[in-house]
Amino acid sequence: MQDIILLKHGELALKGLNRRHFEQRLESNISRRLKQLGDFKIYTAQSTVYVEPKTESSDTAAAFEALRCVFGITSISRAAACEKDADAMFELAKTYLKDEFAKAKSFKVESKRADKRFPMTSIELSQYVGGLLNEAFPDVAVDVHTPELTVTLEVRDYGAYVHAAPVQGAGGMPVGSNGRAISLLSGGIDSPVATYMIAKRGISIIPVHFFSFPYTSEQAKEKVLTLAKELTPYCGDLAVVIVPFTEIQQEMRKVCPEEYFTIVMRRFMMRIAERIADKYDCKAIVTGESLGQVASQTMEAMAATEACIKIPVLRPVVGMDKEEIVRIARKIGTFETSILPFEDCCTVFTPRRPKTRPKLHEVAAAEAELDIEALVENALAGIEQVRV
């Protein structure tokens, strides 16, 4: 008996005339995600994506696990199909879910009748098949409130499908359906979470990392590349842009007042990120800033940081506390890498008393002696891109 995978849409179901655009993007993302796992037929009908293995060598179990990380899917089920007949559905449920019935002490049947031409109502179908299953498995009690096993019957256009309770999907919207953005990816906990969260809103990501060798080590760069790799199940393939930042920080150290180091540094990052965004047709810059978490993340500091650019800055974790961010980092598998003890460039030349409420004219004065355009151009000329 061949399994198929049923994927249910979330927000896509609310889209209007452009809904097919989002569905096609989701199908494309699914196809790319499963490319290494075998040959699958992927199609959409009635707010459900069907994933059917075409060959016996296709790894359906691995596909199921991979699809749990694809944005745009709210629930995912492994199912088996039969003709749209109540007795056929009972026979399929009895054999397909035999192992689940062996482990459960109670069950119920839920039916979903997307094909309204089917002669029985959802309640009638559930009662009929549930009664037969109760006779077939007399040791498993019926419990419609808190069952250990839920048998789901779906009567759809292409046939009837039987499966146990679905597993929660990644939610959100298909990556790439809402454009592209630059994400400033440091080696910390926050920026990978911010990258994950903005990808969940359907945005394709180009990660940018600022690297200050020899003040930061090759291990620090490898750490960031590992973080990017850990994000690929959610974000798709990533090409990390590595920006040399040493010269800028050395020049800052020579002429900038110490208390403005962090603000001036971040303004350089924004200028460079904006130039990279223009090259790759990105419409925003994403950061892992959380309001009040450190000195450079006050409202005044953030306003001064983004005042030097024209494109929007998106801050997905701005209203979250550290515990919330850590919880997500653990969930997506980046936390253990983020806490490895390799410093990034943001910790180089950290001021003893950073300016927390900077005024824009003061920041402009602090960077007045820097040849900003030349430093930005030099950094852009030294860019390295690494695909993970």
Side-chain angles (χ1 to χ4, degrees), residues 213-371:
F213 185 81
Y215 301 108
T216 53
S217 65
E218 285 292 332
Q219 292 170 306
K221 182 166 75 171
E222 290 302 317
K223 173 184 174 180
V224 169
L225 296 177
T226 300
L227 286 170
K229 186 174 182 179
E230 290 166 347
L231 288 167
T232 57
Y234 302 96
C235 302
D237 292 344
L238 295 173
V240 184
V241 178
I242 309 292
V243 180
F245 208 56
T246 308
E247 181 187 11
I248 290 173
Q249 291 190 298
Q250 288 174 334
E251 291 301 309
M252 283 171 41
R253 190 180 191 186
K254 291 177 185 176
V255 301
C256 291
E258 182 185 347
E259 64 268 29
Y260 288 98
F261 278 1
T262 303
I263 299 297
V264 173
M265 176 191 70
R266 294 193 67 79
R267 280 165 64 88
F268 268 104
M269 290 179 175
M270 290 294 176
R271 292 183 180 105
I272 294 168
E274 185 177 47
R275 297 279 289 274
I276 298 171
D278 183 61
K279 178 180 178 180
Y280 292 103
D281 193 30
C282 296
K283 305 304 182 185
I285 297 170
V286 181
T287 78
E289 293 166 295
S290 174
L291 187 62
Q293 190 176 114
V294 295
S296 64
Q297 295 176 11
T298 63
M299 286 190 287
E300 294 88 344
M302 286 191 274
T305 297
E306 66 183 62
C308 60
I309 61 172
K310 295 179 180 178
I311 65 173
V313 178
L314 307 179
R315 300 177 171 93
V317 302
V318 70
M320 300 173 65
D321 62 35
K322 201 66 176 183
E323 287 185 8
E324 292 173 295
I325 297 171
V326 167
R327 194 178 307 125
I328 296 174
R330 291 185 185 278
K331 170 189 168 184
I332 64 177
T334 58
F335 179 75
E336 295 300 330
T337 302
S338 291
I339 61 174
L340 292 175
F342 306 123
E343 295 182 328
D344 60 42
C345 72
C346 293
T347 59
V348 177
F349 309 140
T350 303
R352 289 166 293 181
R353 293 184 177 84
K355 195 78 171 178
T356 58
R357 303 269 191 282
K359 293 181 171 57
L360 195 54
H361 70 275
E362 295 172 343
V363 177
E367 61 185 17
E369 293 186 43
L370 294 165
D371 189 342

Side-chain angles (χ1 to χ4, degrees), residues 68-83:
R68 294 178 68 176
C69 297
V70 174
F71 291 130
I73 299 166
T74 56
S75 69
I76 175 170
S77 307
R78 288 184 69 167
C82 65
E83 64 268 26

Side-chain angles (χ1 to χ4, degrees), residues 359-388:
K359 293 181 171 57
L360 195 54
H361 70 275
E362 295 172 343
V363 177
E367 61 185 17
E369 293 186 43
L370 294 165
D371 189 342
I372 293 172
E373 185 60 25
L375 289 168
V376 169
E377 288 291 344
N378 287 348
L380 290 169
I383 278 177
E384 172 193 7
Q385 194 165 27
V386 182
R387 183 167 293 279
V388 295

Side-chain angles (χ1 to χ4, degrees), residues 33-52:
R33 190 73 180 87
L34 300 184
K35 188 175 182 180
Q36 306 300 321
L37 301 177
D39 192 9
F40 294 87
K41 180 182 178 182
I42 300 163
Y43 57 98
T44 300
Q46 298 175 313
S47 299
T48 299
V49 182
Y50 298 75
V51 178
E52 298 181 3

Side-chain angles (χ1 to χ4, degrees), residues 106-119:
S106 60
F107 82 101
K108 74 172 180 178
V109 176
E110 286 186 354
S111 299
K112 300 175 182 179
R113 191 173 59 108
D115 182 358
K116 301 304 180 185
R117 297 169 297 178
F118 188 73

